[in-house]
Amino acid sequence: MTAIAFAQPDAAILARRDAIVAGLAALVPSDVLITNPDECRAYETDAFTAYRRMPMAVLLPRSTQEVAAIMAFCQEQGVNVVARGAGTSLAGGAIPQEDAVVIGVSRLNRVLEFDRPNRTLKVEAGITNLAVSAAVAPDGFFYAPDPSSQLACTIAGNIAMNSGGAHCLKYGVTTNNVLGATVVLADGSIVELGGDAMDMPGLDLLGLIVGSEGQLGIVTEAILRVLPLAEGARPVLFGFDTSEDAGACVAAIIGAGIVPVAMEFMDKPAIEICEAFAKAGYPLDVGAMLIIEVEGSDDEIDFTLQKIVEIANGHGVKVIKQSRSATETAQIWKGRKSAFGATGRIADYLCMDGTIPTSQLPYVLKRMSEIVAGYGLRVANVFHAGDGNLHPLILFNANDPEELAKAEMAGADILTLCVEVGGCLTGEHGVGIEKRDLMPKQFTREELDQQMRVRAVFDPQWRLNPSKVFPLENRWMPQ
Amino acid sequence: MTDFIPLSAPELAQYVRQASATGETLGVIGGGTRGLAPKDVSQIVSTSGLSGITFYEPSEMVIGARAGTPLTDVEQALADKGQMLAFEPMDHRPLMATRGQPTIGAVAACNISGPRRVSAGAARDHLIGIEMVNGRGEIIRSGGRVMKNVTGLDLVKLNAGAQGSLGILTEVIFKLMPIREQSLTLCWHGLDEADAIALMGEAMGTPFEIDAAAHIPDYGEEQGARTLLRLEGFAPSCTYRFKQLARLFSHHGQPEKIEGEKARALWRMVANAEPFTSPDFAHVLRVHIAVSKAPRLLEYASGWGVRTLIDWSGGLIWLGLEPDTDIAQWRQQIAALGGHARLVRSSQVPGPAFASPDEKIAGLMSGIKHAFDPAGIFNPGIL
Amino acid sequence: MQTQFAPERLADSQMAESEKILRSCVHCGFCTATCPTYLLEGDELDSPRGRIYLIKDMLENDKPASADVVKHVDRCLSCLSCMTTCPSGVHYMHLVDHARAHIEKTYRRPLADRFIRAVLAAILPYPNRFRAALALGRLGQPLAPVLAKLPGGERLKSMLALVPQKLPRAPKPTQQNLAAAKKGRVALLAGCAQQVLDPEINAATTRLLNRLGIEIADTKDTGCCGALVHHMGKEHQGHVAAKRAIDAWWPEIEAGKLDAIIITASGCGTTIKDYGFMLRDDPDYAHKAKAVSELALDITQYLATLDLPKGEPREEVIAYHSACSMQHGQQIRDEPKNLLKTAGFTVKDVPEGHICCGSAGTYNILQPGFATRLRDRKVKNIERVAPDLIATGNIGCMTQIGTGTDIPIIHTIQVLDWAYGGPKPAALG
Ligand SMILES: Cc1cc2nc3c(=O)[nH]c(=O)nc-3n(C[C@H](O)[C@H](O)[C@H](O)COP(=O)(O)OP(=O)(O)OC[C@H]3O[C@@H](n4cnc5c(N)ncnc54)[C@H](O)[C@@H]3O)c2cc1C
Ligand code: SF4
Ligand code: SF4
């Protein structure tokens, strides 16, 4: 196992484990602190299970003040801290390390305030993404960023990863839908960034926190933009013979000035996997499929769809299937959103997350198959086609260390390819440990240093999620 | 009044290295239309030599341009392909009585957005990539040309709105939106501010996709008060939404339908805060505030008989103040409501633009400034 | 997920099965969000993914169960909400059954815990003993505050709280009015606790089926189906019960005389439908068990095949509470609601309907704290739809929810029997 290294645990901290645990126990109610190794084990990894590290202790605080007290204590004691939401990171972002404590925010899950005219909802950050939408649904609102993991993942995790989802083509990703955040800094102080007004002046610290992967502080509350639900929405399935046809169709739709709420791509293996689970009526006799969703009143939907259908016809579409009921719509999205999990039925997978310029789609799809086949593995593709965010799932057998190594190498090759064609390593899952050592492919030494200098403003000692994002060598530290 | 006009990022980087070695301070200007001529600096750098669109992919909805590219060049290129910068950047020239060409780099550096911000997001939401030169004279790229990118810390957001305090932008990359087939404006006449705010707030909560919402109060001119909702999209969709909204708010009277150049002129006036061009308004304050708290501020303003203009469905309020107004007191009022005021035009010397009342936050900001610009050579005084 | 079982340990078929289940879990965490105990605690240890991980560690390394692992596995309701949610098809039920058996073998529970479990296992599955115990229980109710102070007393107290004030008489339902044209023949699981707590359920079933021309085979008494003990990890006792039930039905099945085995308690249904798996390695019973599981149907599944006539609209608004064993265990969702709607009722879904009411077999006795919090949450959600009555298909839920609300809670079959000409359920006054 473990081709990716973690920082060497600090022996001095390990030696003081008992004293540290006792200090924490004095700080918080007993059911906030988990120290028994049997129990800590459940927190040793996230959804990137190829890697795991036992934490020293796990804390599940119930208030911002508790988080602050723990952070202050850890700072004083020199203990590392790894923040955790629901532990659904696919990049290993929430994997702890032996000399760290985990601070989980899952109990901070209350809705605090709905400001309807302002279209904002204030929540505690451990609330799940879907629970946010559920909270405002009776008022006809929803929270737009919808990662496939939205049932389980937390707003805290979404903020840390700047998560996206199928519907972000129209509504933007997390960073475009967060107005404010309460953050506990490394020294235990509490700051409120942004607020309930738009575009606060000064340096955009909130914009920096979003996507910072738990390295700058612990997010405990957030003010989110919520939007009115559309009158209706209808997904349509478009089946094509080849991925190239589907890719060209996407470019043509955007070129025609149409921005659907979602455009999702699946190749044949992915269609088969998802259909087997969700029974959504995906066409099985095509080489690639797009799920395109449009919104509005029935007439508006019909009108827009007609335009899309015309374009699709010009690109050799083979099958067109509209959802005819709310249940069918739910099934269609269930299939898409379960794509990764459903893949688990047939194999282990590594999920890549590179983004490429959409004009490069046909070339990259072809190269990816070649790369993966070159390692003797298979790949299934599901991705957000409108914005070029790829999710090739490299299928392998986790119980075969050699296959894991091959899968990792194939993944690295694919991400390198994404960067080479003008894209990036990760579009929404974050760097975590998974892509950490590939960072120099995308950034120069100066650029990495610049990012680390900014990081150091918040955490000069590298105490917060220290093994992530930046390669372990050449780390910049203030003199 | 310009000391140096770099023609490339490496050239600028070299210049910055020299400047920092010799203890110079640098002011950056783009088109100079915001009237923010840098003061108290030893050298002024203009981005005008860094001009030109670097790439434009209509099918990917992205454009890259060097920082000094005139905004009009960018907008023209986009319009030719039926696309636009969705955040509708404001043009400061009428308000500031300045000349020259706004540049795309300044739009990014100052996070300048107009009426569509309320539905489509701000400039910072559309800025997806930058190239800049930092205070060490290094060329730093962050983000890129793809719409989704979470690789590393988001230095793009940090620089959007930093007003050049962290470095000099040399290239910016924006994502784009198609220009919609039709644009329709609903206009209700004669509503008072409270009614207008209520109408706009409610409308923003309907499924009818309001593109922009503004209120021009009664300035004692012929037109009276006007409450505007803009709709954009395919023609049948606009017509449908127009009807729905007209019905929904029929208790405020039948809205007038405004289209074409007349509508564009109205929205330009809102975007560019044209009601405040007169020099009688010694201070023009731009206030960002929660919509739900706007009525309280407006009430306060009406107590003073102050001229207002309301955009972003109440989230942005312009105030025109008399010469001897106690600005600090206004700031206090606004801060108490969780809002923030920026003195866009004033006979007074404005304080530091980024002053944060929270010491901790102020500390973080100056730490970041130092992380980019250790010698403090760029636009000193902003922080 | 990667596993590291020593090859020789996989020779054991149950271990091999569990390894397969663990391999299919991708650790995505989706299931945490729909787990009742995670909703209450916000601790992954009390979530399916956490439990799976603890179980993995225990089985993989052949560790005896530790007190902490037991604590978190015990808190699991076996509601199987996680199985409905899991996109990977992880068979949590079989895994947790294995874990419970492993715990039973390797862990010595504290005395009070052992005691109460033994009592439950010795009483609940046996209707006569249960009836007697309940009579005693009523005597004991005034003692509850005192008992609560003893070790394990909280549980005794909650056990007593569940004891109904009045025990219905228990006549064996007789066949009557069998319609002239016989349309089918089924066996009806008599059950154990349900027989005692509410004999009207099977009586109503008999009446309605008879009226529809369905004959009920007079099979030997099956006794308890084994679900109660099985969930306590008492594997052997569970198998014995299953075999007894199979033996009771087998002659009829072998003779090809049964269309279905009808179950009116969904908790039992889930287990009987799993007999085939439970006894897969038993050379004498494997094929019989499989046949039984294939014939087993919840009463509403069976009725759905019979095309009941559409009834006149009625004024009662029913909140339909889907038992976990119904919606998750057997994946039965629409049939009961459709039947009630066809009969003329207005049927409302309960918000957060996928979350357990806390009954879960003996759970409300063994984990009273969690059970009560879940019950209160459930009652609040039910009350939000302001129903005239609550219909559900599981006796456990009826008892559990009944202790938290005054809204009458009635078995779906009794409501249907009433709508199609049977007597009005007593609970409706
Ligand atoms: C099946 C599956 C599908 C997915 N689909 C998508 C998708 O469509 N789009 C997408 O963007 N992602 C997707 N993800 C990835 C993942 O769900 C997201 O990254 C999510 O935002 C993580 O949230 P979490 O609550 O699980 O956070 P965790 O995994 O617990 O943590 C993620 C990161 O956030 C940090 N963090 C957690 N809490 C805090 C806090 N309070 N303050 C500061 N930092 C914190 C952690 O340290 C870690 O670095 C998917 C994952 C899975 C398993
Ligand atoms: S949902 Fe399924 S695959 Fe995902 S963690 Fe839970 S059991 Fe495992
Ligand atoms: S069976 Fe129910 S309680 Fe047990 S882990 Fe699954 S969802 Fe949670």
Side-chain angles (χ1 to χ4, degrees):
Chain A
M1 191 177 111
T2 66
I4 304 171
F6 280 68
Q8 271 303 316
D10 182 339
I13 294 290
L14 296 184
R16 280 176 32 235
R17 179 185 181 280
D18 291 347
I20 292 166
V21 165
L24 288 167
L27 215 58
V28 293
S30 64
D31 70 337
V32 167
L33 177 65
I34 301 170
T35 57
N36 184 318
D38 265 349
E39 299 189 289
C40 288
R41 187 166 307 281
Y43 289 89
E44 71 175 1
T45 188
D46 52 22
F48 187 54
T49 51
Y51 293 86
R52 32 192 190 266
R53 287 287 182 282
M54 279 284 274
M56 208 156 49
V58 177
L59 292 123
L60 302 174
R62 289 199 171 80
S63 67
T64 300
Q65 280 65 33
E66 268 178 17
V67 174
I70 298 164
M71 290 286 268
F73 176 84
C74 290
Q75 178 84 349
E76 182 197 300
Q77 299 288 320
V79 177
N80 293 328
V81 171
V82 177
R84 187 178 182 96
T88 68
S89 170
L90 287 165
I95 300 178
Q97 52 190 58
E98 291 88 341
D99 56 1
V101 300
V102 169
I103 299 184
V105 293
S106 51
R107 284 175 177 166
L108 296 169
N109 61 2
R110 287 173 308 163
V111 171
L112 299 175
E113 193 192 344
F114 178 35
D115 183 342
R116 189 185 164 120
N118 204 41
R119 299 177 298 144
T120 50
L121 184 77
K122 189 169 187 189
V123 294
E124 290 185 330
I127 191 172
T128 61
N129 175 295
L130 201 59
V132 170
S133 284
V136 289
D139 290 281
F141 283 77
F142 75 112
Y143 176 63
D146 61 338
S148 304
S149 51
Q150 68 184 142
L151 173 67
C153 64
T154 63
I155 291 298
N158 291 175
I159 290 177
M161 291 313 200
N162 191 11
S163 301
H167 290 77
C168 290
L169 183 56
K170 176 169 175 189
Y171 295 113
V173 294
T174 302
T175 193
N176 311 117
N177 290 277
V178 178
L179 276 79
T182 303
V183 182
V184 179
L185 300 174
D187 62 0
S189 53
I190 301 168
V191 292
E192 294 192 11
L193 305 177
D196 54 8
M198 286 179 269
D199 305 337
M200 295 301 240
L203 297 179
D204 190 354
L205 298 182
L206 179 63
L208 179 67
I209 289 286
V210 179
S212 63
E213 307 202 18
Q215 303 177 91
L216 306 185
I218 306 246
V219 181
T220 59
E221 288 178 10
I223 301 175
L224 308 175
R225 157 101 328 132
V226 289
L227 299 172
L229 285 159
E231 277 185 280
R234 206 184 306 154
V236 182
L237 307 176
F238 293 88
F240 297 85
D241 277 340
T242 63
S243 300
E244 285 75 22
D245 287 349
C249 184
V250 168
I253 291 170
I254 290 176
I258 303 172
V259 184
V261 263
M263 278 205 270
E264 297 291 301
F265 174 103
M266 287 191 195
D267 67 3
K268 196 174 181 65
I271 297 171
E272 283 165 4
I273 290 166
C274 296
E275 178 61 17
F277 167 68
K279 315 216 169 29
Y282 295 166
L284 292 169
D285 52 351
V286 297
M289 179 181 81
L290 297 173
I291 306 175
I292 301 183
E293 183 163 277
V294 285
E295 288 183 339
S297 66
D298 272 344
D299 287 350
E300 289 175 288
I301 291 176
D302 286 341
F303 183 85
T304 315
L305 275 181
Q306 195 195 325
K307 291 193 173 250
I308 295 176
V309 167
E310 272 164 30
I311 296 170
N313 281 331
H315 287 83
V317 67
K318 285 278 131 41
V319 185
I320 301 181
K321 233 183 118 198
Q322 294 209 16
S323 159
R324 280 154 312 176
S325 69
T327 323
E328 269 186 36
T329 297
Q331 288 310 108
I332 286 175
W333 281 117
K334 185 173 175 197
R336 166 60 188 89
K337 295 202 167 175
S338 308
F340 302 169
T343 305
R345 290 168 180 250
I346 60 164
D348 299 289
Y349 62 81
L350 280 185
C351 172
M352 298 294 116
D353 176 44
T355 307
I356 54 159
T358 46
S359 56
Q360 299 288 331
L361 255 179
Y363 168 70
V364 172
L365 283 174
K366 189 167 125 295
R367 277 293 295 134
M368 283 196 312
S369 325
E370 289 165 6
I371 289 172
V372 177
Y375 287 98
L377 300 174
R378 285 180 303 151
V379 62
N381 276 295
V382 273
F383 60 84
H384 312 304
D387 43 34
N389 187 190
L390 305 178
H391 291 320
L393 299 165
I394 303 170
L395 309 181
F396 72 107
N397 172 1
N399 278 7
D400 177 346
E402 217 171 288
E403 274 210 2
L404 170 60
K406 281 185 186 164
E408 288 189 330
M409 285 189 281
D413 289 358
I414 287 176
L415 294 183
T416 308
L417 170 70
C418 291
V419 174
E420 277 166 10
V421 300
C424 66
L425 295 172
T426 170
E428 57 180 19
H429 295 169
V431 177
I433 50 162
E434 186 214 1
K435 301 155 203 115
R436 184 191 69 197
D437 296 340
L438 296 173
M439 286 288 272
K441 300 238 182 244
Q442 187 171 332
F443 295 107
T444 63
R445 179 74 193 274
E446 286 79 23
E447 287 165 349
L448 287 173
D449 273 359
Q450 181 63 71
Q451 292 186 30
M452 287 188 275
R453 285 173 205 266
V454 171
R455 190 194 186 289
V457 174
F458 292 79
D459 178 24
Q461 305 297 320
W462 287 82
R463 296 255 178 266
L464 304 183
N465 219 0
S467 292
K468 313 294 165 63
V469 184
F470 297 101
L472 297 179
E473 315 77 54
N474 298 326
R475 284 196 157 176
W476 189 86
M477 271 180 104
Q479 307 313 312
Chain B
M1 58 173 282
T2 306
D3 300 294
F4 182 60
I5 305 180
L7 296 176
S8 71
E11 194 188 8
L12 173 62
Q14 200 178 4
Y15 179 78
V16 168
R17 282 197 295 275
Q18 252 166 34
S20 88
T22 53
E24 312 270 355
T25 53
L26 305 180
V28 193
I29 56 164
T33 62
R34 287 195 69 202
L36 288 176
K39 295 180 197 76
D40 311 326
V41 291
S42 54
Q43 299 281 304
I44 289 188
V45 179
S46 160
T47 58
S48 60
L50 298 165
S51 184
I53 291 170
T54 46
F55 72 94
Y56 176 28
E57 284 290 345
S59 75
E60 290 171 20
M61 300 195 289
V62 280
I63 192 164
R66 302 216 290 162
T69 313
L71 183 58
T72 47
D73 289 7
V74 172
E75 288 183 325
Q76 190 52 54
L78 297 179
D80 288 347
K81 298 283 182 192
Q83 296 187 330
M84 63 178 176
L85 295 168
F87 52 91
E88 210 179 357
M90 160 181 191
D91 184 347
H92 282 85
R93 285 173 294 187
L95 186 63
M96 308 310 292
T98 47
R99 299 219 312 274
Q101 284 291 326
T103 62
I104 188 79
V107 165
C110 301
N111 189 21
I112 299 170
S113 323
R116 202 181 287 102
R117 192 266 172 263
V118 74
S119 62
R124 56 89 86 175
D125 293 302
H126 297 262
L127 183 66
I128 57 176
I130 55 164
E131 181 193 73
M132 69 177 305
V133 173
N134 68 12
R136 280 179 299 277
E138 295 162 343
I139 299 174
I140 304 290
R141 296 189 73 101
S142 181
R145 60 175 289 182
V146 288
M147 279 190 212
K148 273 163 91 184
N149 185 345
V150 297
T151 324
L153 292 180
D154 194 346
L155 305 185
V156 177
K157 293 281 175 307
L158 212 41
N159 277 280
Q163 303 191 8
S165 58
L166 305 182
I168 302 178
L169 295 178
T170 50
E171 185 184 349
V172 292
I173 304 174
F174 280 103
K175 65 175 178 173
L176 308 167
M177 289 284 279
I179 296 176
R180 302 313 171 116
E181 185 179 286
Q182 196 181 39
S183 175
L184 269 190
T185 296
L186 294 86
C187 174
W188 281 268
H189 292 276
L191 302 192
D192 65 21
E193 294 181 350
D195 279 351
I197 294 264
L199 184 152
M200 291 189 291
E202 217 178 302
M204 292 304 296
T206 66
F208 306 121
E209 293 196 62
I210 312 296
D211 183 68
H215 177 74
I216 309 167
D218 185 356
Y219 299 139
E221 290 158 16
E222 184 189 344
Q223 301 93 334
R226 284 162 291 174
T227 310
L228 310 173
L229 296 181
R230 188 169 67 190
L231 302 174
E232 300 205 325
F234 290 120
S237 163
C238 287
T239 313
Y240 167 77
R241 288 183 279 152
F242 185 97
K243 278 200 201 121
Q244 295 293 323
L245 288 162
R247 175 154 0 120
L248 199 58
F249 297 109
S250 57
H251 51 287
H252 289 303
Q254 248 341 98
E256 180 191 353
K257 184 195 276 188
I258 306 179
E259 289 173 88
E261 185 44 40
K262 187 173 168 207
R264 279 193 289 278
L266 255 181
W267 286 104
R268 257 199 315 273
M269 163 177 157
V270 173
N272 302 340
E274 285 171 19
F276 303 97
T277 47
S278 151
D280 294 349
F281 302 105
H283 316 282
V284 178
L285 265 187
R286 177 187 170 111
V287 181
H288 295 194
I289 191 167
V291 173
S292 48
K293 292 173 187 149
R296 268 183 277 165
L297 176 62
L298 290 166
E299 219 172 283
Y300 183 77
S302 95
W304 289 91
V306 162
R307 172 173 281 204
T308 62
L309 173 69
I310 303 168
D311 196 0
W312 299 356
S313 81
L316 166 60
I317 297 176
W318 292 93
L319 301 169
L321 305 172
E322 310 259 309
D324 49 357
T325 313
D326 180 355
I327 304 283
Q329 194 192 330
W330 278 87
R331 284 192 189 276
Q332 230 171 35
Q333 276 295 327
I334 291 160
L337 292 169
H340 170 265
R342 191 173 303 170
L343 202 48
V344 175
R345 193 183 74 198
S346 178
S347 48
Q348 271 183 19
V349 185
F354 295 173
S356 170
D358 183 322
E359 240 174 73
K360 200 75 207 180
I361 293 178
L364 291 174
M365 287 192 191
S366 60
I368 290 170
K369 161 87 177 159
H370 187 78
F372 278 88
D373 177 18
I377 59 177
F378 295 122
N379 284 355
I382 282 193
L383 275 146
Chain C
M1 197 163 44
Q2 191 186 49
T3 57
Q4 289 162 328
F5 283 86
E8 62 280 8
R9 306 201 51 240
L10 294 179
D12 173 44
S13 118
Q14 194 166 20
M15 203 58 82
E17 184 64 28
S18 291
E19 198 259 355
K20 216 171 84 198
I21 297 170
L22 291 167
R23 287 286 283 125
S24 68
C25 172
V26 296
H27 216 70
C28 67
F30 281 23
C31 52
T32 57
T34 58
C35 172
T37 53
Y38 183 76
L39 287 187
L40 293 181
E41 286 299 291
D43 181 350
E44 285 187 46
L45 290 160
D46 291 314
S47 80
R49 184 172 77 170
R51 292 186 178 111
I52 290 170
Y53 214 68
L54 296 182
I55 295 171
K56 171 174 184 277
D57 185 45
M58 184 169 77
L59 296 181
E60 209 170 52
N61 301 311
D62 200 10
K63 286 190 193 164
S66 71
D68 289 299
V69 173
V70 172
K71 176 169 93 187
H72 298 293
V73 173
D74 276 356
R75 286 178 176 177
C76 167
L77 296 131
S78 275
C79 70
L80 307 183
S81 174
C82 46
M83 284 183 65
T84 299
T85 304
C86 176
S88 270
V90 171
H91 208 303
Y92 177 81
M93 178 169 100
H94 289 160
L95 185 68
V96 80
D97 283 348
H98 185 188
R100 291 208 169 100
H102 183 86
I103 289 171
E104 195 65 15
K105 277 186 216 127
T106 61
Y107 178 70
R108 193 172 155 85
R109 291 175 180 280
L111 179 61
D113 200 10
R114 258 181 293 151
F115 169 71
I116 197 134
R117 282 167 184 268
V119 169
L120 289 174
I123 293 180
L124 284 184
Y126 307 98
N128 289 329
R129 296 186 204 168
F130 186 37
R131 205 170 287 124
L134 286 183
L136 277 177
R138 274 201 308 286
L139 290 177
Q141 261 169 357
L143 292 177
V146 184
L147 287 176
K149 300 211 175 77
L150 302 174
E154 262 309 311
R155 290 163 175 185
L156 281 175
K157 187 177 132 195
S158 55
M159 206 163 139
L160 290 174
L162 290 168
V163 171
Q165 282 306 311
K166 231 171 59 199
L167 262 199
R169 294 216 143 280
K172 185 171 164 110
T174 46
Q175 313 234 15
Q176 30 179 301
N177 308 330
L178 186 57
K182 198 179 120 183
K183 286 203 204 127
R185 189 163 190 280
V186 299
L188 176 62
L189 174 76
C192 45
Q194 172 175 308
Q195 247 192 70
V196 176
L197 291 167
D198 199 346
E200 249 307 288
I201 295 172
N202 274 356
T205 311
T206 308
R207 281 194 301 269
L208 181 61
L209 286 178
N210 285 172
R211 240 179 282 129
L212 294 168
I214 310 298
E215 185 189 350
I216 300 196
D218 192 12
T219 52
K220 267 201 296 184
D221 190 6
T222 50
C224 171
C225 68
L228 288 172
V229 280
H230 189 65
H231 289 318
M232 283 194 252
K234 301 190 185 295
E235 205 176 20
H236 176 71
Q237 249 177 293
H239 287 190
V240 169
K243 288 179 190 172
R244 196 177 46 231
I246 293 169
D247 286 341
W249 290 318
W250 188 246
E252 292 267 341
I253 297 174
E254 206 173 20
K257 290 203 281 191
L258 285 188
D259 298 334
I261 295 168
I262 301 295
I263 298 139
T264 53
S266 56
C268 308
T270 309
T271 302
I272 295 172
K273 286 181 175 177
D274 200 43
Y275 279 180
F277 177 83
M278 275 163 70
L279 297 173
R280 69 195 181 286
D281 289 334
D282 187 314
D284 297 331
Y285 276 89
H287 69 292
K288 296 185 193 174
K290 187 160 169 273
V292 166
S293 290
E294 281 165 4
L295 277 175
L297 286 181
D298 184 75
I299 178 67
T300 54
Q301 281 181 302
Y302 185 66
L303 287 178
T305 64
L306 295 182
D307 252 344
L308 268 67
K310 204 165 164 46
E312 288 297 310
R314 309 176 61 111
E315 56 189 33
E316 290 86 359
V317 174
I318 297 183
Y320 175 71
H321 163 75
S322 190
C324 297
S325 42
M326 190 76 81
Q327 57 174 335
H328 304 307
Q330 302 184 55
Q331 296 290 319
I332 300 172
R333 301 229 148 72
D334 297 331
E335 290 90 336
K337 286 190 283 181
N338 289 343
L339 287 165
L340 290 167
K341 282 183 203 159
T342 308
F345 296 98
T346 303
V347 181
K348 295 213 166 155
D349 286 321
V350 175
E352 217 181 68
H354 58 285
I355 297 299
C356 183
C357 67
S359 161
T362 53
Y363 189 87
N364 46 7
I365 299 168
L366 295 170
Q367 298 283 344
F370 280 92
T372 308
R373 281 155 80 194
L374 288 172
R375 181 199 65 190
D376 295 347
R377 193 169 168 134
K378 178 62 72 184
V379 166
K380 229 192 253 156
N381 278 315
I382 290 176
E383 285 172 352
R384 277 208 259 163
V385 300
D388 298 310
L389 63 110
I390 308 161
T392 189
N394 193 41
I395 182 73
C397 308
M398 293 170 63
T399 324
Q400 169 77 354
I401 296 173
T403 59
T405 178
D406 292 333
I407 304 171
I409 177 157
I410 304 170
H411 196 286
T412 312
I413 192 68
Q414 287 174 273
V415 182
L416 290 172
D417 177 42
W418 173 39
Y420 289 106
K424 188 172 186 182
L428 293 178

